[in-house]
Amino acid sequence: ADAQPLHFVSAGSSGRLRRWDARTGKAVRSAGAAGGAADGALPALMGLVPCAEGLVGVTEDHNILFHGRDDLAVRRCVVGNNDEITEIKYLPPPKSGAPAAEADGAGGAAEGEARESQRVAVATNSEQIRLFELRDMSCSLLRGHTDVVLALAASADGSLLASASKDTTVRLWDVSPGGESSGRCAAVCVGHVEAVGAVAFGKKRAPSIVATASSDTTLKLWSLDGLAERGGGAPALAPSKATKGAAASKAAAARAA
């Protein structure tokens, strides 16, 4: 039997999405972003991430485009952001295999709504983070940083969002859909002395650790053990491990420049 096709999608300064056959190295489909100039030029695509309904792309003229997974055609376009989009992250919904509450109860309705939630977090050239609900494109703001947000990361279970900023801190946000505390800053990671340009969660579904890199030339690990039990608003977390090295923080320094 023939091997299953192995495809990947690329985006770049041409403003076009291209689907490639990894086995042959040939492009099998090409589609341009909407909203090009009159002379046929297309705005460059600065980022591309997968989501449940296809692909989400960010253009250099500050629009968010939703592309179909198969034909790469633009399905929706979100316009109105007037500043540079520095990062975009898809927030996965709760795991579909989790036990559901009774369908006719309030708990069941809330859980069903949470499972249908499809969201992206967007960092612009500002201190605020925009959280878009893809069903109706409603938007909420996460406020707390005092300088530009440089990087975002989402936990594998979609319950936490991490944001790294020029203000030298990393903030952890409760973004569980439908929860009473959704949108609340759950903790602040304090320990870097210069801008933090990179952040990532561990690969486990339940978030247990966060790694950060800063232009102060350090990498730091932050334990999230017991975070849910800690009260008092947004507690300050201390790093559980730190590594110093200019090479390790090169990417973070470049982002903060």
Side-chain angles (χ1 to χ4, degrees):
D2 293 336
Q4 291 292 322
L6 179 61
H7 292 172
F8 64 92
V9 177
S10 65
S13 59
S14 68
R16 293 188 174 277
L17 296 184
R18 287 184 172 86
R19 183 187 304 279
W20 300 84
D21 187 327
R23 302 187 191 281
T24 65
K26 295 181 179 180
V28 295
R29 183 177 291 275
S30 176
D39 60 3
L42 295 171
L45 287 161
M46 311 303 293
L48 189 68
V49 296
C51 69
E53 62 183 84
L55 299 167
V56 182
V58 180
T59 69
E60 65 177 354
D61 57 355
H62 319 309
N63 295 328
I64 301 174
L65 305 177
F66 297 86
H67 296 263
R69 188 185 306 274
D70 296 324
D71 60 5
L72 305 182
V74 175
R75 298 283 188 259
R76 283 187 288 161
C77 179
V78 180
V79 187
N81 193 61
N82 296 319
D83 213 333
E84 177 185 3
I85 294 176
T86 57
E87 184 77 287
I88 181 170
K89 279 290 181 287
Y90 173 67
L91 303 180
K95 192 174 181 180
S96 58
E102 292 296 329
D104 58 352
E111 185 169 353
E113 182 177 346
R115 288 184 181 176
E116 292 177 2
S117 177
Q118 304 288 339
R119 298 165 299 156
V120 290
V122 178
T124 64
N125 196 26
S126 71
E127 303 89 351
Q128 302 169 356
I129 303 160
R130 300 186 182 196
L131 198 59
F132 288 95
E133 173 59 62
L134 302 186
R135 289 178 299 176
D136 55 9
M137 292 317 302
S138 58
C139 179
S140 57
L141 294 177
L142 304 182
R143 305 173 186 269
H145 284 294
T146 58
D147 208 334
V148 173
V149 176
L150 297 173
L152 299 173
S155 62
D157 65 355
S159 65
L160 287 177
L161 177 72
S163 56
S165 170
K166 279 188 175 182
D167 66 11
T168 75
T169 70
V170 170
R171 286 181 175 263
L172 301 175
W173 307 88
D174 181 348
V175 290
S176 301
E180 292 183 1
S181 59
S182 184
R184 175 183 65 89
C185 183
V188 184
C189 301
V190 180
H192 286 294
V193 296
E194 292 187 29
V196 186
V199 60
F201 282 96
K203 295 299 184 182
K204 292 183 178 179
R205 183 152 186 93
S208 60
I209 196 167
V210 166
T212 60
S214 167
S215 52
D216 63 12
T217 74
T218 64
L219 289 171
K220 296 183 186 294
L221 297 179
W222 312 79
S223 174
L224 305 184
D225 292 341
L227 180 61
E229 288 75 31
R230 303 183 195 186
L237 302 182
S240 57
K241 187 175 181 180
T243 302
K244 187 174 181 64
S249 297
K250 185 176 181 181
R255 280 201 173 204

